[in-house]
Amino acid sequence: MALVTGKRLLSVDDDPEMLSIIRTVAVDLGFTVETLAESARFMTTYNRVQPDTITLDLMMPDMDGIEIIQWLNDIESSAGVIILSGGARMYMNMGEKLARARGSLRTVLLTKPFAIDDLRTALVRF
């Protein structure tokens, strides 16, 4: 798998194990990684990190992924967004449709649990 040296990843998930897995895979690919367990701090962290790619858990306790996708569209973000969820596929599809309808966000859907190879493929896609 090709390295993506110099790219910045912001990973947002309330599950510390998931953040650890994503960090390990992304660092192995050459990403600089910032993880965030509280989605309420997403906007501040996004502005500081200026990520090229975001992994985003849709089901978060304080600010859900749909709200984050709306905000990313509002600011016309150019980051690629990997939408993650163990929840209903319909909710994931809604997030993806919103990303595309309101702007030009590029998205990939990954259902938890996902294969590590699928995560690698999604990360190098952007």
Side-chain angles (χ1 to χ4, degrees):
M1 182 94 18
L3 290 179
V4 288
T5 306
K7 296 268 187 153
R8 294 173 309 280
L9 172 70
L10 176 54
S11 185
V12 186
D13 201 304
D14 58 335
D15 179 349
E17 286 182 43
M18 186 60 59
L19 289 174
S20 178
I21 291 166
I22 293 168
R23 174 187 289 282
T24 299
V25 171
V27 167
D28 286 347
L29 290 171
F31 280 89
T32 300
V33 180
E34 180 88 19
T35 59
L36 188 57
E38 299 107 16
S39 57
R41 294 189 358 219
F42 177 82
M43 294 162 192
T44 305
T45 306
Y46 176 93
N47 286 328
R48 179 175 51 81
V49 173
Q50 293 295 304
D52 301 291
T53 306
I54 299 164
T55 63
L56 178 61
D57 182 11
L58 281 186
M59 306 288 212
M60 298 281 290
D62 42 1
M63 177 184 206
D64 73 18
I66 299 295
E67 292 172 276
I68 291 173
I69 288 169
Q70 289 173 329
W71 183 80
L72 289 169
N73 272 322
D74 289 345
I75 66 161
E76 299 179 356
S77 174
S78 63
V81 181
I82 301 169
I83 300 171
L84 307 170
S85 183
R89 182 74 182 187
M90 184 177 81
Y91 193 65
M92 289 180 70
N93 289 338
M94 184 174 74
E96 183 181 44
K97 285 178 184 174
L98 176 65
R100 292 188 176 152
R102 292 198 59 213
S104 60
L105 278 181
R106 298 164 296 134
T107 60
V108 172
L109 301 178
L110 286 181
T111 303
K112 295 178 185 178
F114 50 78
I116 296 298
D117 283 342
D118 291 341
L119 176 60
R120 281 188 191 104
T121 299
L123 286 168
V124 299
R125 178 177 177 183
F126 300 119

